[in-house]
Amino acid sequence: MINENILTYVIAACVAFALTWLAGFWLIPMLHKLKYGQTILDIGPKWHKAKKEGTPTMGGVMFIVAVVLTFAAGMVALSAMSESALDKAELTRSVSGLVMAAAFGFMGFLDDFIKVKKKHNEGLTPIQKIIFQVMIIAAYFATMYVSGLARTVITFPWGQWDMGLLYYPIVGLGILYLVNSVNLTDGIDGLCSSVTVVYMAAFAMISGMLGAFGEELLTFCTAGGCIGFLMWNFPPAKVFMGDTGSMFLGGIVCAVGLGCGAEFLMVLAAMVYILEALSVVIQSTVFKITKRIHHTKEGKRLFKMTPIHHHFELSGWSEVKIDVVFSLTAAICGAAAVVFGYFMYIA
């Protein structure tokens, strides 16, 4: 499949790149004019507020539009070139995944819009976000069920596990965790975009091995859009993707993994995101436990600051170094996922 359609995928990626990059020439000045600047929390690194306050946010709109348009055009092209691309099941899985991601992006847009209007860094409340996200996940599962595409089996290197009805709450919690993990990764210039490009490269190979042409096209479109956005977001950033972009990317990360039926590989390839969120959980847990043990107002902190990219930033690493090291780590995890995928599904 990948040999037959590779030209379509590459063209889609290039167009997504071009659309996102070119959109910046129009959108960034408009965001400046509307005064849609990011408000930086005081709890972050001190220099963030001085250097990044007022940088336009909600820039994720650029690659969301590009990904949706190029994916739609790519699907039409694939359908015209190959009868196999007319598989309604594959079309439903990939389109439903993209719609789920777009819904997460819309929620992020609402969060960003409230922030810029109120001129502070608090948008939707945590409970509002959770309710919104649970509804999106439930709608995705419902679409799969109504379409007759629901499955409850997860494949591991050592075998398969039919989880039955437990699949939905457990995997649903996994989606919730992973989407918010991607959101947390968007903490310094260029980080979320660069790590996501690497993740998409890994799943381009995995989806190709599994013959999931819809998800494969989606990975190429997303990678192209992220690279286009990096033209504006690489340190020093001229625009931030905001929750609009990071929530959308979180949805795409889940969409391609679930669409391929490769949940285990998704977790392995997404390890950088997962560890970012886990560092926050560990920090909070250690802080609360030591606070109670020592009966003090302040507990101990394992990291200088979380998510963990801030720990390295406060340790003297530049944003570029963090981007490179985290992307290389993501590449190692992605390569491991590809290797596992080959022996699990092909060999």
Side-chain angles (χ1 to χ4, degrees):
M1 179 64 68
I2 190 167
N3 291 331
E4 179 183 346
N5 299 323
I6 187 63
L7 182 59
T8 302
Y9 299 145
V10 172
I11 292 174
C14 291
V15 173
F17 163 82
L19 289 176
T20 305
W21 174 56
L22 292 173
F25 290 100
W26 167 77
L27 183 64
I28 295 175
M30 187 183 76
L31 291 173
H32 273 295
K33 186 176 181 179
L34 293 172
K35 297 182 180 180
Y36 280 8
Q38 179 74 44
T39 301
I40 305 298
L41 285 174
D42 292 325
I43 61 174
K46 294 179 180 179
W47 56 86
H48 277 206
K49 194 169 184 67
K51 294 183 178 180
K52 301 177 185 292
E53 183 87 46
T55 301
T57 188
M58 301 166 69
V61 171
M62 295 190 291
F63 58 74
I64 292 176
V65 172
V67 169
V68 172
L69 291 178
T70 53
F71 176 79
M75 289 298 286
V76 172
L78 289 175
S79 297
M81 292 167 54
S82 172
E83 293 184 2
S84 61
L86 298 174
D87 186 332
K88 291 184 179 179
E90 176 59 30
L91 180 64
T92 301
R93 280 194 295 269
S94 54
V95 171
S96 296
L98 180 57
V99 170
M100 175 178 68
F104 280 122
F106 178 70
M107 190 209 78
F109 175 83
L110 291 178
D111 193 40
D112 286 334
F113 187 76
I114 294 172
K115 290 175 185 176
V116 297
K117 282 299 182 182
K118 293 186 176 181
K119 302 299 180 183
H120 60 63
N121 208 37
E122 295 179 4
L124 297 172
T125 65
I127 189 64
Q128 287 174 331
K129 291 179 181 179
I130 291 175
I131 291 174
F132 209 132
Q133 291 171 8
V134 169
M135 290 174 61
I136 294 171
I137 296 168
Y140 173 74
F141 283 146
T143 301
M144 293 297 99
Y145 183 82
V146 172
S147 303
L149 301 174
R151 55 178 180 75
T152 58
V153 176
I154 294 182
T155 302
F156 297 95
W158 51 86
Q160 293 184 322
W161 178 25
D162 189 343
M163 302 175 67
L165 293 177
L166 285 175
Y167 177 91
Y168 300 104
I170 292 177
V171 175
L173 286 173
I175 296 173
L176 193 66
Y177 180 92
L178 189 49
V179 168
N180 286 286
S181 297
V182 176
N183 176 246
L184 286 172
T185 305
D186 182 37
I188 62 173
D189 300 356
L191 182 59
C192 189
S193 298
S194 56
V195 171
T196 300
V197 169
V198 176
Y199 177 91
M200 291 302 152
F203 256 91
M205 290 183 275
I206 292 170
S207 55
M209 288 191 295
L210 298 176
F213 75 89
E215 284 72 24
E216 191 171 14
L217 174 62
L218 192 52
T219 62
F220 273 81
C221 294
T222 304
C226 284
I227 296 172
F229 187 72
L230 274 170
M231 299 298 101
W232 301 104
N233 186 239
F234 194 76
K238 295 178 178 63
V239 67
F240 297 142
M241 68 173 67
D243 285 0
T244 303
S246 60
M247 295 300 292
F248 173 79
L249 292 180
I252 292 290
V253 165
C254 294
V256 296
L258 296 174
C260 291
E263 291 86 351
F264 173 81
L265 302 181
M266 176 180 72
V267 170
L268 184 55
M271 195 55 64
V272 168
Y273 304 125
I274 293 170
L275 293 177
E276 285 270 45
L278 187 60
S279 69
V280 177
V281 175
I282 292 172
Q283 182 89 318
S284 178
T285 302
V286 171
F287 183 86
K288 290 178 180 178
I289 291 176
T290 54
K291 180 180 177 180
R292 290 184 179 181
I293 291 176
H294 299 292
H295 303 288
T296 58
K297 292 183 179 180
E298 291 288 329
K300 292 185 177 181
R301 290 178 171 83
L302 187 61
F303 307 107
K304 294 180 179 180
M305 185 177 289
T306 57
I308 199 168
H309 58 258
H310 287 318
H311 170 83
F312 292 107
E313 191 177 13
L314 291 174
S315 297
W317 288 26
S318 68
E319 289 183 310
V320 173
K321 182 176 180 179
I322 295 172
D323 290 346
V324 171
V325 172
F326 277 48
S327 295
L328 288 174
T329 303
I332 293 171
C333 295
V338 172
V339 172
F340 271 104
Y342 175 80
F343 286 104
M344 287 168 60
Y345 298 103
I346 306 299

